[in-house]
Each structure stands twice: as C-alpha cells, then as structure tokens.
Amino acid sequence: DAGVTQSPTHLIKTRGQQVTLRCSPKSGHDTVSWYQQALGQGPQFIFQYYEEEERQRGNFPDRFSGHQFPNYSSELNVNALLLGDSALYLCASSLAILTESDEQFFGPGTRLTVL
Amino acid sequence: AQSVAQPEDQVNVAEGNPLTVKCTYSVSGNPYLFWYVQYPNRGLQFLLKYITGDNLVKGSYGFEAEFNKSQTSFHLKKPSALVSDSALYFCAVRASGDYKLSFGAGTTVTVRA
C-alpha cells in the first residue's frame, strides 16, 4: 500500500521564478492538504483540497495556488518566488468523512531552495 | 483561533529513563490532539491522537500521551527511552469543524546511550 508520495525531492529556483510541486495521496484517500515547514519551525497550513476545490486556506498570499485532479492527486504552485519561500513543503492526505477525527498522513516533502 | 505551545526546544534524557515532551494548546470547543515525529530529511510520522474518551492515549513505538482538559495539556510520554527515539517531535491541534492542523514549533529529543 503506497503512502503519500511527493515530487520532486529537491528543487532550486531563483527569485521571481515559478514552481510546481506534486503530490499523490495515500491509496483510498480523497483529501490533500499542503503545509510549509520553514527551517526550525513547525509546519504551517497552506490549504486543503477536496473534490477538486480549495476547501480551506491558511494565511498565505495568492502567490500560492493549488489544484486537485480527478484521481485526487494535487499540485502546489508558487509564483514570483521570494527568498522566504525556501522551506520543506509537505503534502498530507486523509479521508474526507473522517477528516476531523482522523490523522493526516504526510509525504516525505519537497525541499525548495530559492536563491 | 487555535494554537499549540511546546515550551521546551530540547529534551535530553539517558537511555532507559522516562521521556516527557510537553504540549499545551488553545482551541475553541473540543480539541482533536495529535503527536507526530520527524526524523532528519523525512516527513512527519503519526504517533497518536486524542479524539474523545480515555485521557491516557496509547500510540506507536511505546509512546503514550495524557490529555488534561483543565490544564489544556497533552504531554507525550515514554516510560523507557531508546537512542532511536532521538528525533523532532511535534504536537498538533485541530478544532472541531476545522480542517487544518496547527502545529507547535517542535521539541528536539536526544537520547544518549
């Protein structure tokens, strides 16, 4: 049973560029959440996708956008990259009907470095 | 708004000794509480959760946590720590009706042989 997978593992970009990160949820899961984990900090919620719609959003600017596909996989897009966007980006999946009580399963993350 | 505080940046214990990692939370309504562990260059692994019921929750790898509503705490414990327990531990809370997890800043646990 495959867990949550993310690609790429590492990414280096320069300021002003755009980046797309990808996530495939755990088998049987239909909900994907994205988190940003800056160095030395806990993960911060970016947004959650369910039924191909953004269901909830954290305190992140519009430069951060996402998409969920019919197969439940998801993309995180970040435009106009800033140095401060350097972080580990984590994808987590869960089952919608159990969202409140169920734990989220996390992928290994994508390490984004902005130069 | 919901938040989590992990008052200790680091916890150091000797192998075989009890391990406690502290967590306090603030949330409106009933809390859903979680502990995750993160090893270097890895994602987060789920350890245990409190939803309702018994205040003592048992989880993976011999870890347990005690929910205390009056003190709004959810401390992680392990009776006998192992060197392999050395990692970064995160406490997280979700409010009823909310979808996001709010994490603490994390506590680095070092278990010396």
Side-chain angles (χ1 to χ4, degrees), chain B residues 12-20 78-82 85 111-112:
Chain B
N12 298 303
V13 298
E15 189 172 35
N17 281 1
L19 169 63
T20 298
K78 187 171 184 180
S80 179
L82 301 173
D85 293 329
V111 182
R112 59 186 185 276

Side-chain angles (χ1 to χ4, degrees), chain B residues 6 20 30 38 42:
Chain B
Q6 294 182 239
T20 298
N30 294 324
Q38 186 175 37
R42 300 279 295 276

Side-chain angles (χ1 to χ4, degrees), chain A residues 3-7 21-26 29 31-37 43-49 67-68 72-76 88-94 104-111, chain B residues 36 43-45 101 103:
Chain A
V4 179
T5 59
Q6 293 185 243
S7 62
L21 311 181
R22 296 176 175 82
C23 170
S24 291
K26 179 180 168 63
H29 285 181
T31 301
V32 173
S33 302
W34 287 92
Y35 292 81
Q36 180 196 66
Q37 185 180 12
Q44 299 292 317
F45 177 77
I46 303 175
F47 42 54
Q48 184 180 88
Y49 274 83
H67 188 76
Q68 186 180 33
Y72 308 122
S73 66
S74 176
E75 288 182 350
L76 165 65
L88 181 67
Y89 288 85
L90 296 166
C91 171
S93 73
S94 54
Q104 293 182 359
F105 289 80
F106 283 80
T110 293
R111 173 73 63 187
Chain B
Y36 286 85
L44 275 66
Q45 283 181 239
L101 281 173
F103 286 86

Side-chain angles (χ1 to χ4, degrees), chain A residues 33 35 37 40-45 48 55-56 88 90 98-109 111, chain B residues 32 34 36 38 41-46 49 51 88 90 94-106:
Chain A
S33 302
Y35 292 81
Q37 185 180 12
Q41 297 181 25
Q44 299 292 317
F45 177 77
Q48 184 180 88
R55 180 157 74 169
Q56 186 175 0
L88 181 67
L90 296 166
L98 297 176
T99 294
E100 281 197 357
S101 62
D102 210 12
E103 63 271 22
Q104 293 182 359
F105 289 80
F106 283 80
R111 173 73 63 187
Chain B
Y32 299 117
F34 304 82
Y36 286 85
Q38 186 175 37
N41 301 314
R42 300 279 295 276
L44 275 66
Q45 283 181 239
F46 168 76
K49 65 182 176 184
I51 304 301
L88 182 56
F90 289 101
R94 179 190 295 129
S96 179
D98 204 346
Y99 298 115
K100 69 178 182 184
L101 281 173
S102 294
F103 286 86

Side-chain angles (χ1 to χ4, degrees), chain A residues 1 8 13 15-16 18-19 29 32 39 48 51 57 62 66 86 90-91 93 97 100 112 115:
Chain A
D1 178 21
K13 293 287 188 178
R15 282 178 297 175
Q18 178 265 344
V19 69
H29 285 181
V32 173
L39 198 61
Q48 184 180 88
E51 292 189 333
R57 188 180 184 92
D62 292 344
S86 296
L90 296 166
C91 171
S93 73
I97 61 171
E100 281 197 357
L112 173 64
L115 302 176

Side-chain angles (χ1 to χ4, degrees), chain B:
Chain B
Q2 57 202 47
S3 64
V4 171
Q6 294 182 239
E8 300 160 318
D9 291 337
Q10 290 199 355
V11 170
N12 298 303
V13 298
E15 189 172 35
N17 281 1
L19 169 63
T20 298
V21 186
K22 296 179 180 178
C23 170
T24 59
Y25 66 90
S26 174
V27 69
S28 299
N30 294 324
Y32 299 117
L33 295 158
F34 304 82
W35 275 101
Y36 286 85
V37 60
Q38 186 175 37
Y39 295 97
N41 301 314
R42 300 279 295 276
L44 275 66
Q45 283 181 239
F46 168 76
L47 282 179
L48 50 79
K49 65 182 176 184
Y50 172 83
I51 304 301
T52 187
D54 290 341
N55 290 340
L56 185 64
V57 178
K58 294 189 182 296
S60 307
Y61 313 117
F63 284 95
E64 58 189 29
E66 186 170 8
F67 171 67
N68 187 315
K69 188 173 183 178
S70 63
Q71 296 185 2
T72 62
S73 66
F74 189 55
H75 301 330
L76 181 69
K77 301 180 180 183
K78 187 171 184 180
S80 179
L82 301 173
V83 172
S84 57
D85 293 329
S86 299
L88 182 56
Y89 291 79
F90 289 101
C91 180
V93 66
R94 179 190 295 129
S96 179
D98 204 346
Y99 298 115
K100 69 178 182 184
L101 281 173
S102 294
F103 286 86
T107 299
T108 299
V109 170
T110 302
V111 182
R112 59 186 185 276

